[in-house]
Amino acid sequence: MNGMNGINGANGGHDGGQDDVFGEAPFVDEELDHDRLEEELREATAILDPVPAELRRIAIEAYALHDLDARIAELTFDSLVDAIPVRGAVDVPRMLTFHSGGLTVDVEVTGDGLLGQLLPPQSAAIEVLHGPRATAVLTADDMGRFSSTAPPTGPFALRLRTGGEVVVTEWLRA
């Protein structure tokens, strides 16, 4: 085959600055203006597939939740996943346990609301989050106990303010 590899008559090397497959000059990346290409793609996307206004609003509100000083409390127990089901039990409360450093947050979620406790026991301000704003503001007493008569709906998280510290739980579906 006289130095050809048998695929489309192409050989393994470049000769004369021509592309082996199509007989054209090879693509040179330095000629491409990346900034201009990005600008044109953004303009085309804005026209052909714009971001819905509601999605943009939700994204902005979600960013408002960003708190650089907050520690994340990791979910370490969820009765929906970790507990052994009991035969015949109906309307069983969902039990959740979160840990962050030396703080443990135990929460019971029922159709009647939330019931929880902080360990070690301490007072705290607790916000039930359903988006960027708190839907309920609770207070933990000196024993660390708190409750709410409004059950969470949809995704929710808890933001705890204990002394000078802010702790936010992972987001969960009710």
Side-chain angles (χ1 to χ4, degrees), residues 54-74:
E54 180 67 11
L55 181 60
R56 186 181 305 270
R57 183 189 65 77
I58 290 170
I60 291 169
E61 288 177 352
Y63 184 74
L65 293 175
H66 182 71
D67 191 348
L68 294 176
D69 296 333
R71 289 188 315 170
I72 302 297
E74 180 182 359

Side-chain angles (χ1 to χ4, degrees), residues 69-141:
D69 296 333
R71 289 188 315 170
I72 302 297
E74 180 182 359
L75 179 66
T76 57
F77 177 82
D78 184 346
S79 62
L80 289 180
V81 177
D82 302 319
I84 299 172
V86 176
R87 185 173 58 178
V90 292
D91 294 331
V92 178
R94 183 177 183 185
M95 306 299 292
L96 304 167
T97 301
F98 300 93
H99 288 285
S100 176
L103 179 67
T104 300
V105 183
D106 288 320
V107 181
E108 179 180 312
V109 181
T110 68
D112 297 328
L114 294 174
L115 183 64
Q117 184 170 16
L118 307 177
L119 298 169
Q122 56 192 288
S123 59
I126 301 166
E127 300 167 273
V128 181
L129 305 173
H130 288 283
R133 295 177 191 82
T135 56
V137 179
L138 313 173
T139 303
D141 62 16

Side-chain angles (χ1 to χ4, degrees), residues 3-87:
M4 293 186 179
N5 67 7
I7 302 174
N8 295 333
N11 61 20
H14 291 284
D15 56 69
Q18 297 229 339
D19 186 34
D20 290 340
V21 178
F22 300 109
E24 299 173 355
F27 176 74
V28 179
D29 193 30
E30 291 84 28
E31 295 177 5
L32 182 62
D33 181 3
H34 293 283
D35 294 333
R36 178 70 184 140
L37 176 61
E38 180 180 356
E39 181 182 331
E40 289 178 6
L41 288 173
R42 286 184 188 275
E43 289 173 4
T45 302
I47 293 168
L48 299 173
D49 189 20
V51 176
E54 180 67 11
L55 181 60
R56 186 181 305 270
R57 183 189 65 77
I58 290 170
I60 291 169
E61 288 177 352
Y63 184 74
L65 293 175
H66 182 71
D67 191 348
L68 294 176
D69 296 333
R71 289 188 315 170
I72 302 297
E74 180 182 359
L75 179 66
T76 57
F77 177 82
D78 184 346
S79 62
L80 289 180
V81 177
D82 302 319
I84 299 172
V86 176
R87 185 173 58 178

